[in-house]
Amino acid sequence: MTKIFIINGGQKFGHSGGKFNETITNATVDFFSQLPDFEVQTTNINEAYDPKAEVAKYVWADVVIYHTPIWWFQVPHAFKEYIDVVFTEGHNHGIYHSDGRKSDNPARNYGTGGMLHGRKYMVTSSWNAPKEAFTLPGEFFMETSVDDGVLFGFHRMNAFTGMERIDGLHFHDVEKNADIINDLKRYNEHLTETFLNTEVYESLSNCNS
């Protein structure tokens, strides 16, 4: 049984109702809930949560799946608060025990003190920006991908805990030119390829064994 922890980071704030990320989150839950070899837990950052219970979900999971919009080139403030609160609660309680360094050589091994080794994580992000803003010469993101640019710190955060990255998916131009039907089709194909590929599934199912 592979245990999947799904986090909806789509904050409801200002003009944002969080509907796109709610739709993607529901698609993730539906995908895994129909498969007998997967077990699911969820969190919605808009709802009240118990930090200790959230830490327990991280420790329980084989795979953590994050869904987040990008606001001003960062995750929303309520999602960042969730991470700050839960990861702080997880100090010496399952998420990390230190930054990994030793006093005899403080310049080495930073970022090796995580406690979630053997787990994996995946992130989807949603953007107003079109995909061409990341790929075309002279465009805003200077030919830097989402993962190597805006989400670089997010990926290092998860590496700090010991988790390993599974390739995610990024949804572009969702405000002005949304194409929900094709986005959901592409996402379900990504989940199928990622989690139902025999070789990949065997790797996931051995995470916490």
Side-chain angles (χ1 to χ4, degrees):
M1 184 73 71
T2 300
K3 295 169 284 189
I4 309 291
F5 175 30
I6 303 164
I7 301 174
N8 178 4
Q11 183 180 351
K12 298 176 182 179
F13 177 78
H15 69 278
S16 174
K19 292 182 178 179
F20 183 85
N21 281 276
E22 183 176 355
T23 298
I24 297 299
T25 299
N26 289 339
T28 311
V29 172
D30 290 345
F31 179 87
F32 288 110
S33 296
Q34 296 175 35
L35 299 170
D37 293 329
F38 292 87
E39 187 177 354
V40 172
Q41 292 196 56
T42 63
T43 286
N44 184 332
I45 58 92
N46 297 282
E47 299 171 356
Y49 54 84
D50 174 5
K52 287 184 173 62
E54 297 305 301
V55 171
K57 291 178 185 178
Y58 272 92
V59 174
W60 167 86
D62 296 311
V63 182
V64 178
I65 299 179
Y66 300 100
H67 298 300
T68 183
I70 301 298
W71 291 2
W72 291 108
F73 317 112
Q74 303 173 65
V75 301
H77 57 274
F79 186 21
K80 179 59 166 63
E81 180 182 35
Y82 170 88
I83 291 167
D84 288 344
V85 169
V86 173
F87 280 32
T88 298
E89 182 65 36
H91 180 217
N92 283 328
H93 292 99
I95 291 183
Y96 77 102
H97 59 76
S98 71
D99 69 14
R101 296 178 296 163
K102 306 295 183 185
S103 59
D104 60 344
N105 192 358
R108 304 290 294 176
N109 297 317
Y110 178 83
T112 60
M115 301 175 72
L116 293 175
H117 293 281
R119 280 81 168 177
K120 301 182 188 299
Y121 75 95
M122 188 185 88
V123 56
T124 74
S125 68
S126 54
W127 295 76
N128 175 52
K131 63 182 180 180
E132 291 81 6
F134 300 86
T135 60
L136 295 180
E139 288 297 315
F140 186 78
F141 291 99
M142 299 178 288
E143 299 177 79
T144 304
S145 71
V146 172
D147 293 297
D148 292 335
V150 170
L151 285 185
F152 177 80
F154 190 87
H155 288 306
R156 299 322 298 159
M157 173 197 82
N158 284 282
F160 191 95
T161 72
M163 288 195 286
E164 297 180 15
R165 173 182 159 192
I166 297 171
D167 286 341
L169 204 62
H170 307 300
F171 302 98
H172 298 287
D173 218 355
V174 299
E175 286 194 31
K176 295 182 179 178
N177 294 294
D179 188 352
I180 302 297
I181 292 175
N182 280 327
D183 281 343
L184 285 172
K185 179 176 182 292
R186 188 163 58 99
Y187 181 54
N188 274 280
E189 289 171 351
H190 179 78
L191 290 176
T192 299
E193 174 61 26
T194 301
F195 291 95
L196 300 186
N197 175 295
T198 302
E199 185 175 322
V200 175
Y201 176 71
E202 288 177 353
S203 171
L204 294 173
S205 61
N206 290 329
C207 280
N208 288 334
S209 60

